[in-house]
Amino acid sequence: MTELESEVLPLPPRYRFRDLLLGDQSFQSDDRVQVEFYVNENTFKERLKLFFIKNQRSSLRIRLFNFSLKLLTCLLYIVRVLLDNPEEGIGWSHIFWVDRKTPLWAVQVSIALISFLETMLLTYLSYKGNIWEQIFRISFILEMINTVPFIITIFWPPLRNLFIPVFLNCWLAKYALENMINDLHRAIQRTQSAMFNQVLILICTLLCLVFTGTCGIQHLERAGEKLSLFKSFYFCIVTFSTVGYGDVTPKIWPSQLLVVIMICVALVVLPLQFEELVYLWMERQKSGGNYSRHRAQTEKHVVLCVSSLKIDLLMDFLNEFYAHPRLQDYYVVILCPTEMDIQVRRVLQIPLWSQRVIYLQGSALKDQDLMRAKMDNGEACFILSSRNEVDRTAADHQTILRAWAVKDFAPNCPLYVQILKPENKFHVKFADHVVCEEECKYAMLALNCVCPATSTLITLLVHTSRGQEGQESPEQWQRMYGRCSGNEVYHIRMGDSKFFMEYEGKSFTYAAFHAHKKYGVCLIGIRREENKSILLNPGPRHIMAASDTCFYINITKEENSAFIFKQEEKQKKKGFAGSYDGPSRLPVHSIIASMGTVAMDLQNTECRPANSSKLALPAENGSGTRRPSIAPVLELADTSSLLPCDLLSDQSEDEMTQSDEEGSAVLEYVKGYPPNSPYIGSSPTLCHLLPEKAPFCCLRLDKGCKHNSFEDAKAYGFKNKLIIVSAETAGNGLYNFIVPLRAYYRSRKELNPIVLLLDNKQVLLQGPEHHFLEAICCFPMVYYMEGTIDNLDSLLQCGIIYADNLVVVDKESTMSAEEDYMADAKTIVNVQTMFRLFPSLSIITELTHPSNMRFMQFRAKDSYSLALSKLEKRERENGSNLAFMFRLPFAAGRVFSISMLDTLLYQSFVKDYMITITRLLLGLDTTPGSGYLCAMKITEDDLWIRTYGRLFQKLCSSSAEIPIGIYRTESHMFATSESQISINVEDCEDTKDVKEHWGIKTGHHRNSCSSDQSEHPLLRRKSMQWARRLSRKGNKHSSKTAEWISQQRLSLYRRSERQELSELVKNRMKHLGLPTTGYDEMNDHQNTLSYVLINPPPDTRLELNDIVYLIRSDPLAHVANDGHSRKSSCSNKLGSGNPETRDETQL
């Protein structure tokens, strides 16, 4: 080692570290060489070329000067003609010689000399090796004709009166003008000038033709009748317009020849110019032109960026955007890369939209197109994804690039972005408002399983409506449903509100109840001035302040409401106990009269025993003639008397007292945050989790493993009904389906098993992706299996007969159909088949196009469905944005289209809080202290409350819950179907009973019965054969034949469609080794209709099986402060009985 070190030579001085830092002066002075760049531009010719040609601004000045010289020469020619006084008589000398005054000659010579020198200089600078190309240019020839003769006259005075066609300089002026406009557009970076240039060229060409013809004919006619300049101009206009009066005509052949030449030139040049102009005009119509800068600075506009614009998307946006009064003066600029669709073009030609909607064909990735749309002056930019693409990830990537491009070009323009996949959401986190389609879709479908028709509730809330739909219908439910659909979410500062100002310093629950009782508005949440988070139902401990922003549900916002106080005071003075029927009233109804009968039973607000219900009838008021009383809502919360104290003692106490079998299963679950999120940006939600992650093999429902041998849903022995989700792939969006159903505020004993039915080919071969299984393996009772909804065996294996809800998610692979609206064809037919096979199953279907929901649960001969179809058409003609709302599947929450939530993004432009409130309702976000959406069912024990207003008081006083609506189901007799006829016949003992039963059936169904019999071709054909045989044989063997025929006919009647389907299902179940008992218990509940009533009036009567939507306060909101003391005191009051959980009212 020492030898090697000794051999290493020291570095030379220039490579020493000190020299490397300080530099070696000798090295710099000896070896460094200074290099000059662009020395070729230092020559005199290059400098001239830079000034006259290359530099945009200087060349623009040169061309402007040249253009002015040419116009001046044309003007001097006119002056010379006007001063000229030719001698009388006809002679050819008048053509070659003119009278030119000396001062005029001097000016013309000076201009000609300048033009000649400029032309020669530019020819020298633009010389590229071919001198003939420069000489034979038309512009160079014209310059020589108009300048060289004047220069010659300087040296040869007799030629000073020689005629020189100076009027030809008009063509040089036209050429200079074109170059000047091009330089101008190049200097200001304007590229969309082709149309302007072409129009300018056409106008200049016409002017030059007319001016050349006028001057030429006038000069040549000096040898003839000596026409004036004005008469020559008149002749040219008459001739070029093809009118030809004939009062002025050229007399000599040179002028006649000139007219022929000019007409030929016009016939060649003008059509070419017009053709180019028309082509550019058509292209401009396709591309849409520009949005003017002046309009952008004086008017307000928003920009809509889409990949492809369909008529449904356009009308949804325009109807929702212009539904707000303050947006009527806004312009909408549509920026789309594709050519305008025929239907879109037809709609945009309607005067209602043509004055406010501007279509621009262009890309958001090009700054020129963003400049055309004046994006930097826009009030907002909406970027929508193309959900009809098969590859939704690629569609998201395009949306992300558009959002980046707009943010880069106009950083101050508010962005409203729609994204499809949740994993792509964090790329556009900088946007002001983002709506993730799959997040909202799956959370809404999940809530549909535990809170029926949540999709309908949210859709109605985010659509703008006046509540006038269905008001002319004879059906009571349609009028009430249509009226309540006009409710929306509004906001107001409490200090400025007449609704809520009087409740300052009171509890939130007190303000919510009394505002609903007095004004009919439903207060659902608040936002503190110092805190930007919105809290839904913060609970009775929240004290209202004047600076709070209140969010409430009402038909219209407070600013548009009228208050009638005088008539209410008269009613109070009279002590009138009936309903108030004043004009234009808010729904105060009979609530005022009921105030005197409310008893002050404060003792009922304490924690109740476990065997009592929150809506239980008070024992002391349950007898006698007096109406049962409800405790009043306290102005300030009494922490010792609030029922939500047992909301926190739910999980740890109620399972402790269960049986050993239940306890062993329930105690396996723990509360916590899911350890693995499948994508970035998912909101953390406290959930029920397994203490240890389940092995991936145990997640497979239809295949056993070493941990268990179960191969179907029956073997697992689930205590609760299943929720089955049919999806194409195990996408990250399914995570948002599971989380709301496993949230911490749901009772453990009511958790429904979830089965994911996946039918993608990759899933069939390899199973779901590893990261997805890693995300769901921590949730209890979540399984997956391979299969499709059109395979009966798959449905039976996943336990469809033990399921309450089947969710059918729209398939991505079917979205790009040849015909747009056929994208839902396969889904609709498969769901219709399941609707027949499993009639009691609640099937929740997602469709691509909302208009296709009319095919769900299709009944071809149902007169009621046809009446609903006519009602929908009538509402659409009246301009309703919710024409589809009366379709029974939508009203019942059985069908949903994600495009219905597009309005959520549009409404955010006016209501920036709508996305936040919707995410809180759906459980996508969990803000500390904010409540959540749940539901309770009205049973027979709860009917003593009688009205919705009293229910509001009961919930506010006992459990601090805020009801926001009702899901009501009514029995309804539809037109009799084949299966119903045959089942009715089957229940009778003989043919006579059958005939009597048909007669007992309602009379208006008789026609449908008879018509439906004809739908059995086999039955009808055999009946005709039997009739012919009987007519031939007469009475021979009449008794035996009649008996045999009646038996055969009865057996054919009894073999109904329903029985055939039932036998098919049972046979498949036997083949798969599944018991058929569960299928026998399935009943047909198809003769019902359901609908949603948002914020109904307080005097609305409650009905049996009504499901009430509630916003329940967060049970963990005040745990840190007083949770322990409340929990201990409540447990002492409850004693040893079974504690009732906060999920008593949950469906």
Side-chain angles (χ1 to χ4, degrees), residues 936-954:
M936 59 163 286
K937 191 171 185 178
I938 299 297
T939 62
E940 292 184 359
D941 296 335
D942 304 325
L943 291 178
W944 66 272
I945 300 178
R946 294 201 307 277
T947 64
Y948 182 77
R950 287 168 57 81
L951 174 67
F952 206 116
Q953 180 180 358
K954 178 65 177 175

Side-chain angles (χ1 to χ4, degrees), residues 626-643:
R626 183 180 174 220
R627 185 173 66 181
S629 62
I630 300 175
V633 183
L634 300 180
E635 293 185 8
L636 298 176
D638 183 4
T639 56
S640 63
S641 61
L642 285 174
L643 185 62

Side-chain angles (χ1 to χ4, degrees), residues 260 463 575 687 731 751 786 825 870 1030 1035 1086 1138:
V260 172
H463 272 78
C687 298
L751 297 182
E786 307 157 357
K870 294 179 181 178
L1030 286 174
N1035 294 329
Q1086 296 180 3
N1138 266 344

Side-chain angles (χ1 to χ4, degrees), residues 287 291 300-322 330-338 340 344 347-348 353 356-365 369-370 372-387 399 402-403 406 413-418 902-903 905-907 909:
S287 63
Y291 184 71
K300 295 181 178 180
H301 76 284
V302 299
V303 182
L304 176 64
C305 294
V306 291
S307 297
S308 60
L309 188 64
K310 300 297 183 182
I311 187 64
D312 293 337
L313 174 65
L314 175 64
M315 295 312 300
D316 286 344
F317 178 83
L318 294 180
N319 289 329
E320 187 62 36
F321 185 80
Y322 285 113
Y330 278 65
Y331 287 88
V332 173
V333 179
I334 301 172
L335 187 61
C336 181
T338 60
M340 193 186 310
V344 173
V347 168
L348 294 185
W353 307 122
R356 298 191 286 183
V357 182
I358 300 169
Y359 187 94
L360 303 181
Q361 183 177 351
S363 172
L365 301 184
D369 292 332
L370 295 178
R372 288 169 56 205
K374 304 300 180 291
M375 185 70 75
D376 50 341
N377 294 105
E379 298 294 318
C381 177
F382 295 90
I383 303 178
L384 305 184
S385 296
S386 177
R387 64 166 56 91
T399 302
R402 288 191 182 97
V406 172
C413 181
L415 272 180
Y416 296 76
V417 181
Q418 179 193 67
D902 289 347
T903 56
L905 192 65
Y906 312 152
Q907 272 205 3
F909 182 65

Side-chain angles (χ1 to χ4, degrees), residues 734-747:
L734 281 172
Y735 178 80
N736 294 293
F737 184 91
I738 299 172
V739 168
L741 298 177
R742 293 294 180 265
Y744 73 97
Y745 46 75
R746 306 204 182 277
S747 174

